[in-house]
Amino acid sequence: MPSLDGATQWFNSEPLHSRELRGHPVLVHFWTLTCINWLRTQPYLRAWSQAYRDDGLIIIGVHTPEFSFEHGIDHVERALAARGISYPVAVDNDYKIWQAFGNQYWPALYFIDADGKVRDHQFGEGHYPESERVIQQLLGIERRLVPAEGRGVEAEADWAHLRTPETYLGFIRTENFEAPGGFVLNTRAPTKCLST
């Protein structure tokens, strides 16, 4: 298991170290407090934490900020309270844990077996039944999947009615962009408001 050393602070736990977690299946998930994709995974993480805690699963959240204001410990603390997060959370303001895992995504889930080996991963939201089955495999159990439903900002996206999926600033990373006339690379274009 990659190192958890380098956290600038821990919530809901004393600092945890990889060697101390041997013998337990562990789910490490990377998040940042303003990421809508993370918010949509949170109902599942809460449900799994409660449902599999007594079976030996340890869930560890790693808050690695995307934006400068997300470094604020008070922001992280408010997010934990607002989302009802009771499992251990490492604050990774210096990206030490992020780098140890070679991570590049929010959210990212890493499923680690009792021997400390990363057995699976999931990047982005979705694939919840498959992820829960991985948890059950690591625990050596098989049972009905845990129900989870997000409300408010945690609600699943209305995929059937989205016209343009999430995109990032800059055309290099833009995919599936929908706009009248599309867009032209490396060219300024006049903008106009679209009325409905």
Side-chain angles (χ1 to χ4, degrees):
M1 177 176 172
S3 175
L4 296 173
D5 295 341
T8 54
Q9 185 165 342
W10 282 84
F11 287 100
N12 304 326
S13 173
E14 293 296 318
L16 297 173
H17 302 281
S18 301
R19 65 187 171 278
E20 299 167 344
L21 297 169
R22 286 283 173 104
H24 296 277
V26 178
L27 168 54
V28 174
H29 78 90
F30 287 85
W31 62 284
T32 188
L33 59 99
T34 60
C35 177
I36 188 63
N37 307 106
W38 166 72
L39 287 165
R40 293 178 188 149
T41 65
Q42 194 50 47
Y44 297 90
L45 292 162
R46 269 194 315 271
W48 297 337
S49 175
Q50 293 168 3
Y52 297 108
R53 183 178 299 155
D54 292 341
D55 296 304
L57 178 69
I58 298 173
I59 294 183
I60 300 170
V62 179
H63 180 268
T64 310
E66 182 175 13
F67 303 109
S68 60
F69 71 89
E70 292 176 322
H71 284 80
I73 296 300
D74 56 329
H75 295 303
V76 176
E77 195 166 19
R78 280 196 298 274
L80 297 176
R83 304 276 70 86
I85 297 172
S86 60
Y87 50 78
V89 172
V91 177
D92 188 30
N93 280 350
D94 297 330
Y95 283 69
K96 301 282 186 185
I97 302 170
W98 177 279
Q99 291 168 357
F101 275 78
N103 190 48
Q104 299 178 45
Y105 307 99
W106 296 279
L109 307 177
Y110 292 89
F111 302 88
I112 300 159
D113 69 16
D115 294 326
K117 294 185 176 148
V118 176
R119 292 297 182 181
D120 207 341
H121 64 269
Q122 169 61 38
F123 302 133
E125 60 184 294
H127 305 284
Y128 304 115
E130 296 85 353
S131 292
E132 189 170 352
R133 290 289 181 217
V134 171
I135 291 169
Q136 291 184 2
Q137 288 172 0
L138 294 177
L139 293 169
I141 61 175
E142 187 175 334
R143 63 172 79 133
R144 184 180 299 188
L145 299 180
V146 177
E149 182 182 349
R151 290 184 168 79
V153 295
E154 293 181 348
E156 186 174 339
D158 183 4
W159 297 110
H161 296 96
L162 289 179
R163 293 176 52 196
T164 301
E166 179 181 19
T167 190
Y168 298 88
L169 296 178
F171 64 82
I172 292 173
R173 295 182 63 192
T174 301
E175 297 175 2
N176 305 315
F177 185 74
E178 183 175 313
F183 68 94
V184 180
L185 300 179
N186 293 324
T187 304
R188 286 181 166 239
T191 59
K192 56 184 172 179
C193 293
L194 300 177
S195 58
T196 55

